[in-house]
Amino acid sequence: MNFLSYVLLGGLSYAAGRAVRIYVLDKQPKPEQPYNLKHPAILAYLAGFFIIMLIISWLIGRYLLGHVTIDLPFIIVNSLVATFVYSFGLNPEKANYEVPD
């Protein structure tokens, strides 16, 4: 994969996290514990996305890159990085990015 492919994959991961935050989490009633990276719902979405990315990374390696055998380092690192980028879109802690005076 080239740099542009990784940028595209990162953009899609961020957009997926932001979509979940806007269309799912913001539509639900306010929870007692505010959403952050330690909230059980956020952790469940991160775990689910990681599992989905494991499958997508395997498919990318198998069909786009032509890896005949399972390339575990590529699959795991690609999934971890995509999940890390996904967490930025999902995490509403710094949604406003207010600059200090």
Side-chain angles (χ1 to χ4, degrees):
M1 288 180 64
N2 57 17
F3 180 72
L4 183 60
S5 299
Y6 281 114
V7 169
L8 182 64
L9 184 63
L12 291 174
S13 298
Y14 179 81
R18 189 158 173 90
V20 167
R21 185 178 79 203
I22 291 171
Y23 296 115
V24 177
L25 296 178
D26 287 348
K27 302 285 184 194
Q28 296 175 354
K30 285 277 191 190
E32 292 178 13
Q33 176 188 358
Y35 288 123
N36 57 21
L37 288 178
K38 296 178 183 175
H39 193 277
I42 299 290
L43 290 175
Y45 280 113
L46 287 173
F49 187 78
F50 180 72
I51 291 169
I52 290 169
M53 279 310 299
L54 285 173
I55 296 167
I56 290 173
S57 296
W58 173 75
L59 291 172
I60 288 172
R62 176 73 175 110
Y63 294 108
L64 292 180
L65 301 178
H67 299 161
V68 178
T69 59
I70 294 178
D71 188 7
L72 277 180
F74 169 77
I75 292 170
I76 292 172
V77 169
N78 197 36
S79 299
L80 284 173
V81 170
T83 305
F84 179 71
V85 173
Y86 174 79
S87 71
F88 282 109
L90 186 64
N91 186 11
E93 279 183 353
K94 302 289 182 191
N96 295 335
Y97 296 106
E98 295 175 6
V99 179
D101 293 332

